[in-house]
Amino acid sequence: MMSLPWDPTERDNMANKQRGEGTSVEKKAENKKGADDFNLALDSSDDEAPEEVTFEDSKARAVESLKLALDTARREKELLKEKRRKRQEFFQEQKVCLTFFSCIINISFLYKLGANFYAITGSYTVSTVTDRGQSDYQRQAAEDFIQSRLYGPGSCRSSNNEMLSLQNKTRADKSAAVQFVKKDWGAFKNTINEPQTML
Amino acid sequence: MGEFKVHRVRFFDYMPSAIRSMAFNSHTERLAVARADGAVEIFNFADNYFQEKVIAGRDGRSIEALCWVGCRLFSAGLDGEITEYDLENLRPRYSIEAYGGPIWTISGNSEGTLLAAGCEDGTVKMFEVLEDRIQFQRNLSRQKGRIISLSWHPSGAQIAAGMMDMIRIFDSETGHATHRLLVDRGVGASKSREVVVWSVACLNDHTIISGDSAGKVQIWDGLTGTLIRTHLVTKWDVLVLAVSQDESSVIAGTSEGTIVQFQFISSTVGQQDKLWVRTRTFKNHSHDVRALVHTDSAVISGGMDTQLVVRPLLDKVEKNTQESALRKIAFPHRNLVSCAKKAGLLLFQFPDHLELWRLGESDRNETFPVKTRTPGESLPVKRKPEKLIQLKTKGEDHICCSALSPCGSWLSYATVAAVRLYRLQISSNNISIQKVSKLPRELKSVHQLCFSSDSCRLFASSSFSSVVVVALDQTDCKYLHTLKHKSGSRQPIHILSPSEDGQWLATANTDCEIHVFNLRKMKLHCSVPAYSSCPTAVSIHPTTGNLVSVHADQQIFEFSLKQKEYSEWSRQLQRQGLHPLWLQRDTPVTSIAFNPNNPAHIMLHDVFMFCIIDQSLPLPEAKTKFYNQMILRSLPEPQRLRESHAFKTCKNFQHLLSVNLLEDLSLVVVERPLVDIVAQLPAPVRQKKFAT
């Protein structure tokens, strides 16, 4: 219940009257107190208008705080990403080492001949694990990169049908648009190696 | 003179592979071309641009860059390996892992001592070039972002690397990156995408030229690291750059299929201030240009439209000569089709599989003989051609060569890893194929295969320019002999041609040698005198026993095996010279056949024409009309004989991949129209043309 910044008039007291004597007395007391307080506060700056906060200022402050929040969020994300990347790299390096040097050796006796030379005696089986999964994945990712750069969105590609038809229409002896014998020829191909089945 | 029933075959779905990279060796004048399927082809530019050698590709091998170091050829690709090739045995010599992820580019320094590889992980890896291998030396300082292109400074002191959004210049001694040149992104929608510096070139005066995905060619000062000039040449990507030997000209290939030339000239004549000025634009291709070479006199380009184009620069060669003609190489210079003449079967060779087809038949009980039909008339097909077998290779290696025996009961193919032989049993309602499991161990490293005419022998050209002969039995195969010549050449044999009677075997290798072996005695009979141009087709006449050879420079020779000297007809041909129109043809003759009904006829073909040389008719003189078949048809009979000359050409069929004469004297013509190939290429860029 907000107290009025001016002396309550009859009209203002109408609400109090409607609520009943008891309350209104209390309220009045309250009001008076609140008003007094307010009056006290107002006394000091009674003649001054409320502090003018321009729209631009408040907008600037709001934008600033928003930017700060976004910046912190972004920094945190980058940090997390960096951490994740480093961890991933570390794992990948480990994996590469592992796959290349992966030998299963059951040795019965291993003795040192020199600084870096070891001799293995007894029975042993050696098998190397060739893991092409990693390199295939990377090769596919690299091929996808070229694919998307040359044929991906924004590459402004046409079709062979359209190109050949334009050639037919713009040369000296003009002829009709090209109709391919097989229906799947000339379809909008936006892959380097495999034909697409669409259009 | 010649009426033939012709089987027009258009069901060979031959699809060439896109050209991904090229490298020119100016000392040997050989161009190495890498295709998207991993195959490497060598063209001899000193011998009429003949496709000398083809090293078959492999599933999973994708070549991104090729590089000559001296006479050694290296390639690198997205599988992360650097491969050196054995050009005598047509196979990779070895491959080493670079451990940098996919490799985007390799480049050798001018001394030929170091090979630099640009990798996906942002490292430029240096390899020392040793005598028999390459060895990892060190990494240059690692960058954040993939290394897409590399270029050494001619002195070897710096190396420029094209990356994403920037170019880095490294000091090759210390390995540190000294400069960073920032490349602007495209405008509009492409501003949000990183710009890829697809190609860089380092010149002697420390100028760096770059081509990027925003369509710009930029000129930089490599010493200060500043941009001198920007040329926007296309809306799409500039994919590749090449610099001429004297560094006065740079060419840039684009996704539009155009090649833009920049020359280092002064803007006004006589002035000293030179700058890079855009001069010519060539539109040689319909699809993206991904590989370029700039020789002293020509611009060589290749790309997604699979054609190799040689464009001589008209300010370097004499105009209106053979030398100044535009050359487009769209079809292979060897035969991919084998024909079983007695059985009416065709074998088509694809990189990863073979197809065996039975030819169709027209009305068998013909009421009208061939002679009363009008030329060019189409006969109704009673039984359609039928694909009998599709044989997929085992393993990842692609097929180098294949052969079908004349009786149609044996089929063989070879990859770099193995040779396979199959027994076929084909009847009208049943087909069976059985692999011959135990093959002689001498059958390895095979470049060419051929069956004898009686289907009892298989000839395989192998390493050190030798030929392995195996005998074929009902179900298995036995090693007989290895034929060797004494010339000392180790070049691979690319042509094998046995005679009809089984007495002779003619062989030709890429050192331009033709050796003839006596198969009854299993030893060398004679060698044809050396000629400077490589043979493209060789065959032995069934009745006269003369060896007919056609070479890359379009010369024709006839050599008598009995007298071991050139025949009289051949000498006369040399004295008179071949007609200029014959010599100007730009595709080689890939097979020679003879007509049993008419011993004076020699049947040849190239991609654009089929020709019958009648040795009984006079040779055409230089001023005679060469292509005269239409005219002759309109003349009355007695005059026709007077006007005829020996070369009868037919241009009705195009583009010819193979022409064979069956036992029943009908012709089989395998055509592959170029438009059918273009129809299945990847998408070209969308060009907006006025009023369309």
Side-chain angles (χ1 to χ4, degrees), chain A residues 149 155-158 160 189, chain B residues 194 287-288 681 683-684 686:
Chain A
R149 291 307 306 221
S155 54
C156 280
R157 296 271 165 180
S158 172
N160 289 301
K189 298 223 192 319
Chain B
E194 291 169 304
H287 290 64
D288 310 48
L681 293 175
R686 180 179 296 275

Side-chain angles (χ1 to χ4, degrees), chain A residues 71-82:
Chain A
D71 271 338
T72 359
R74 190 168 44 85
R75 253 201 305 270
E76 278 176 25
K77 227 197 281 182
E78 296 272 23
L79 231 96
L80 260 169
K81 227 198 271 185
E82 189 66 43

Side-chain angles (χ1 to χ4, degrees), chain B residues 352-466:
Chain B
D352 60 349
H353 71 278
L354 295 170
E355 285 181 10
L356 185 72
W357 286 74
R358 173 163 47 204
L359 288 167
E361 268 181 27
S362 65
D363 199 346
R364 207 179 293 215
N365 307 318
E366 272 176 23
T367 46
F368 301 100
V370 177
K371 268 195 154 36
T372 62
R373 299 272 195 187
T374 50
E377 188 186 328
S378 287
L379 299 171
V381 172
K382 187 153 177 267
R383 187 189 64 187
K384 283 168 103 162
E386 205 185 322
K387 191 199 295 196
L388 300 176
I389 296 171
Q390 175 148 332
L391 189 62
K392 180 129 186 15
T393 53
K394 198 172 158 196
E396 297 171 327
D397 293 305
H398 289 174
I399 299 176
C400 305
C401 55
S402 58
L404 187 62
S405 68
C407 61
S409 42
W410 296 97
L411 188 158
S412 183
Y413 74 85
T415 64
V416 289
V419 177
R420 301 241 188 271
L421 180 65
Y422 296 87
R423 187 94 173 91
L424 298 171
Q425 255 137 9
I426 297 171
S427 58
S428 52
N429 52 3
N430 187 35
I431 307 154
S432 83
I433 176 167
Q434 197 185 4
K435 184 171 145 192
V436 176
S437 44
K438 275 223 293 268
L439 292 177
R441 57 183 172 79
E442 288 84 359
L443 273 182
K444 56 177 164 54
S445 185
V446 166
H447 325 302
Q448 194 60 263
L449 286 166
C450 185
F451 287 93
S452 62
S453 56
D454 60 3
S455 305
C456 290
R457 301 268 189 273
L458 174 62
F459 306 105
S461 83
S462 188
S463 44
F464 305 119
S465 211
S466 64

Side-chain angles (χ1 to χ4, degrees), chain A residues 105-111 113 118-125:
Chain A
I105 308 178
N106 298 317
I107 51 172
S108 60
F109 189 66
L110 174 76
Y111 62 93
L113 284 179
Y118 289 83
I120 304 169
T121 62
S123 64
Y124 57 89
T125 54

Side-chain angles (χ1 to χ4, degrees), chain B residues 23-32 68 70-72:
Chain B
F24 187 66
N25 186 334
S26 44
H27 299 289
T28 57
E29 286 207 69
R30 300 294 200 274
L31 180 76
W68 287 100
C71 290
R72 296 160 75 173

Side-chain angles (χ1 to χ4, degrees), chain B residues 7-20:
Chain B
H7 294 258
R8 270 186 99 154
V9 170
R10 284 190 171 200
F11 44 82
F12 181 15
D13 287 335
Y14 164 71
M15 244 341 258
S17 190
I19 293 177
R20 184 57 199 90

Side-chain angles (χ1 to χ4, degrees), chain B residues 403-650:
Chain B
L404 187 62
S405 68
C407 61
S409 42
W410 296 97
L411 188 158
S412 183
Y413 74 85
T415 64
V416 289
V419 177
R420 301 241 188 271
L421 180 65
Y422 296 87
R423 187 94 173 91
L424 298 171
Q425 255 137 9
I426 297 171
S427 58
S428 52
N429 52 3
N430 187 35
I431 307 154
S432 83
I433 176 167
Q434 197 185 4
K435 184 171 145 192
V436 176
S437 44
K438 275 223 293 268
L439 292 177
R441 57 183 172 79
E442 288 84 359
L443 273 182
K444 56 177 164 54
S445 185
V446 166
H447 325 302
Q448 194 60 263
L449 286 166
C450 185
F451 287 93
S452 62
S453 56
D454 60 3
S455 305
C456 290
R457 301 268 189 273
L458 174 62
F459 306 105
S461 83
S462 188
S463 44
F464 305 119
S465 211
S466 64
V467 180
V468 174
V469 184
V470 296
L472 300 172
D473 207 323
Q474 269 297 324
T475 47
D476 64 7
C477 135
K478 215 172 51 177
Y479 167 72
L480 280 186
H481 195 79
T482 302
L483 298 166
K484 290 195 179 124
H485 60 76
K486 297 190 214 84
S487 76
S489 165
R490 292 152 58 109
Q491 291 300 316
I493 290 177
H494 64 296
I495 300 177
L496 288 170
S497 182
S499 63
E500 272 299 311
D501 57 11
Q503 190 179 3
W504 312 108
L505 177 69
T507 68
N509 66 14
T510 55
D511 247 343
C512 310
E513 299 172 350
I514 301 177
H515 301 288
V516 183
F517 294 92
N518 185 327
L519 291 173
R520 307 260 161 81
K521 298 181 192 160
M522 286 295 186
K523 57 183 221 167
L524 180 70
H525 171 72
C526 67
S527 300
V528 176
Y531 181 64
S532 54
S533 178
C534 196
T536 60
V538 167
S539 194
I540 301 176
H541 198 293
T543 42
T544 65
N546 288 345
L547 185 144
V548 177
S549 64
V550 184
H551 297 250
D553 62 356
Q554 314 293 8
Q555 285 295 331
I556 307 173
F557 293 99
E558 193 186 27
F559 186 81
S560 164
L561 293 179
K562 286 199 199 66
Q563 274 99 41
K564 296 189 189 175
E565 60 179 25
Y566 289 113
S567 70
E568 183 48 47
W569 180 82
S570 186
R571 285 179 215 270
Q572 199 200 344
L573 183 63
Q574 287 306 303
R575 274 195 297 267
Q576 187 157 330
L578 284 158
H579 194 282
L581 284 178
W582 176 268
L583 293 172
Q584 278 166 25
R585 292 178 307 109
D586 58 2
T587 52
V589 170
T590 51
S591 70
I592 302 171
F594 302 98
N595 189 346
N597 267 8
N598 204 329
H601 285 182
I602 303 173
M603 299 161 76
L604 323 159
H605 78 89
D606 70 7
V607 170
F608 297 104
M609 63 102 211
F610 161 62
C611 174
I612 296 182
I613 300 176
D614 191 334
Q615 288 179 304
S616 62
L617 289 174
L619 296 167
E621 286 171 27
K623 50 178 168 37
T624 324
K625 192 160 170 60
F626 189 69
Y627 297 107
N628 62 352
Q629 290 298 292
M630 295 301 287
I631 296 172
L632 287 179
R633 213 171 288 168
S634 62
L635 293 175
E637 183 81 40
Q639 204 180 351
R640 215 182 280 176
L641 210 57
R642 263 182 295 150
E643 299 289 324
S644 296
H645 63 71
F647 285 70
K648 297 162 184 308
T649 51
C650 166

